[in-house]
Amino acid sequence: MPVVETHLIEGYTPEEKKRLMKALTDAIRFVVPAVPEAITVLLNERPVCDYMRGGSLRTPAPALPDPSAIVMDYLRAMEARDLDRAGMHLGDRFAMVFPGTGEMTSLTQLIEWAAPRYRFVTKSYEGVEALQGEQSAIVYTRGTLAGEWPDGSAFSGIRFIDRFEVTGGKITRQDVWNDIAETKGKK
């Protein structure tokens, strides 16, 4: 089965190297029908002093942050209504679209739009998937929503899926799909 050998300048943490090896394994499985256990990934590290490009010694670029961790911290901050922490994860050109909305560009717009629709929402996650797109990392979260309608009655079990674009360690886009309108209409 496949063996992938990668050369890397030393300086990455064990966690960063583990993320890289998992990403390489996943990339192979995208094309080759192999179980993860059948794929071998080898990292060969070279000391910084052994690497030169363009006639100059170089150091490795810092690893990008895990886009799934960025998205999940943003979502936890939003659920806690910690808008300052959530906002730290957003890029300068952030845009989001929720069911029935046009493009919104601030968390304040989202809070104002949501206020007449429900008192609060919590999410239970069934999956978080990340992949690299051409320009951004793409992160999908999916699961169910629970919370309270404006009249105080509870709801739960409403399906959702969110798609995020993460560029340079910041969320630049969020698209949301859910069945909240279908469920509210049956209330």
Side-chain angles (χ1 to χ4, degrees), residues 140-154:
Y140 286 94
T141 63
R142 58 186 167 77
T144 57
L145 303 172
E148 281 187 8
W149 299 117
D151 68 6
S153 60

Side-chain angles (χ1 to χ4, degrees), residues 130-144:
L131 59 121
Q132 183 60 46
E134 280 191 41
Q135 303 295 323
S136 306
I138 310 299
V139 179
Y140 286 94
T141 63
R142 58 186 167 77
T144 57

Side-chain angles (χ1 to χ4, degrees), residues 61-82:
L64 292 170
D66 181 346
S68 295
I70 292 167
V71 165
M72 292 308 294
D73 191 61
Y74 163 77
L75 290 170
R76 283 190 292 272
M78 287 299 293
E79 191 170 307
R81 287 295 189 254
D82 186 345

Side-chain angles (χ1 to χ4, degrees), residues 15-174:
E15 184 59 34
E16 291 164 345
K17 290 186 278 189
K18 181 178 176 182
R19 281 180 49 217
L20 175 60
M21 290 187 286
K22 171 134 180 24
L24 290 169
T25 299
D26 292 345
I28 295 293
R29 294 185 67 222
F30 213 66
V31 177
V32 178
V35 296
E37 295 78 20
I39 299 169
T40 302
V41 177
L42 303 169
L43 290 183
N44 296 299
E45 289 188 286
R46 301 296 306 170
V48 173
C49 63
D50 286 356
Y51 173 66
M52 184 178 279
R53 187 176 73 229
S56 300
L57 289 174
R58 305 291 178 135
T59 57
L64 292 170
D66 181 346
S68 295
I70 292 167
V71 165
M72 292 308 294
D73 191 61
Y74 163 77
L75 290 170
R76 283 190 292 272
M78 287 299 293
E79 191 170 307
R81 287 295 189 254
D82 186 345
L83 300 184
D84 290 335
R85 188 174 104 212
M88 291 184 344
H89 292 297
L90 304 180
D92 292 336
R93 299 178 143 210
F94 173 71
M96 63 187 137
V97 177
F98 279 66
T101 73
E103 202 167 79
M104 296 183 283
T105 58
S106 75
L107 298 179
T108 303
Q109 284 178 293
L110 172 61
I111 299 301
E112 289 171 0
W113 170 81
R117 288 162 175 78
Y118 43 79
R119 286 186 180 179
F120 71 89
V121 171
T122 61
K123 294 182 175 185
S124 296
Y125 298 95
E126 294 172 7
V128 178
E129 292 91 19
L131 59 121
Q132 183 60 46
E134 280 191 41
Q135 303 295 323
S136 306
I138 310 299
V139 179
Y140 286 94
T141 63
R142 58 186 167 77
T144 57
L145 303 172
E148 281 187 8
W149 299 117
D151 68 6
S153 60
F155 63 83
S156 63
I158 298 174
R159 298 179 312 158
F160 79 88
I161 186 166
D162 295 348
R163 179 189 181 274
F164 294 88
E165 294 177 14
V166 180
T167 309
K170 298 289 186 180
I171 299 169
T172 53
R173 184 161 185 93
Q174 178 182 8

